[in-house]
Amino acid sequence: MRVRSLMLVAAGAALIAPAALPGADPPSETGHERVAYTPATVDASSGTSALSGPNALVAPNTPNAPMAPMTPGGRKVLRPQGTGDVRAAELLAAARDCVPVSRGRFRSDDDEPADIEICGGRDAVFWKADMDIDCDGRPGRHCNERTDPLFHDSTAYQQSDGRQLSAERLPYVVVPAPSRRWNHREHGIRRGTVAAVVHRDRVGYAVVGDVGPDDIIGEASYALARDLGIRSDPRGGGAASGVTYILFKGPGASPIESRRAAAAQGERLARRFVGRD
C-alpha cells in the first residue's frame, strides 16, 4: 500500500513500521506518504477459473458471444469500458446508495480528512476514493527501485507459484488492514477477491492483491491504473478522486495472477450486481 506525499519523499523522511493488529492480515509496504507495512505470505484461497482477457470486448472462442458493434465502413466500435458488456454507468448506478458497513471513515491520504465510508450489501462492498499507485511486488521495467523511491519487492499476497505479484502486469487493488474500523475478512473479502473498478466511462477488473494501513483507502496497482487510463507513474501518477471500487463477495480469481480469471469472474459477478442475472 502506498500513499502519496511528495513532501516526505523530498525530505527523505524515514518510514516507520507500526505494530500489526492482533488477528490481522499481514500488512503490506506503504509508500509515498506515511508508514511502511511489511508484507508476508498469506494462505491461498480457491476460486473460479476464467475465459476472457482483461481488455477483450468478448470472451475469445465463446459460443454465442455478442458481436462488437460495427460502423458503416465495417470497422469495430470499441466500447469505452475495459471488459465485457457491463457498462460503467450501470455499476455506478448500482453503487449509488451507501449502506455503511465500516464503523468509521477512512482517509484517502495521510493529510486528508477521514470522510470515506465503506458501503455494502449482500453481494459486494464498495467505496469511492482516489487512486494512489502501488508499484510494489516483483521488480520489472516500470516498477523497481529506480522508478519508485519507495519501492518494496513484496506484497501481502503471493502468486500460486509462491512468487510475488507483479504490479506492472497484474491489475490489483489494496484493502485496508483489519481493525475495529473495518475487517475485510468479516465481509467475505480475501486474497484474490475480484473487484470491478470504475473511472469515468471505463471498467477494469482486478483482484485483491495487497493490504495497507488500517485508516487509508484508495490504491491500486500500476497495471490497473494503466487499464483505466490513469497515469501510472508511481512518483506522481494516480487520480485525485472519482474512482469507485466494487469488491464482490464469494469465490475469487484462481489463480490469483490470471488476468483472464479476474475478467471472466468479474464480468459474471458484475452482471449479478447490476441486476442482470
Side-chain angles (χ1 to χ4, degrees), residues 111-124:
D111 56 354
E112 296 295 327
D115 58 2
I116 301 170
E117 290 182 310
I118 296 180
C119 313
R122 183 186 64 181
D123 298 328

Side-chain angles (χ1 to χ4, degrees), residues 72-142:
R75 294 183 178 180
K76 291 182 180 180
V77 177
L78 296 180
R79 296 171 178 167
Q81 79 274 21
T83 305
D85 64 349
V86 178
R87 295 186 172 274
E90 294 178 273
L91 289 165
L92 293 177
R96 181 172 50 228
D97 298 326
C98 178
V99 177
V101 295
S102 55
R103 300 182 183 93
R105 298 185 177 187
F106 295 82
R107 304 175 187 275
S108 60
D109 292 301
D110 190 49
D111 56 354
E112 296 295 327
D115 58 2
I116 301 170
E117 290 182 310
I118 296 180
C119 313
R122 183 186 64 181
D123 298 328
V125 299
F126 56 90
W127 59 84
K128 301 175 183 180
D130 65 342
M131 180 182 284
D132 295 327
I133 305 302
D134 189 336
C135 222
D136 294 339
R138 196 164 73 252
R141 177 183 176 187
H142 303 288

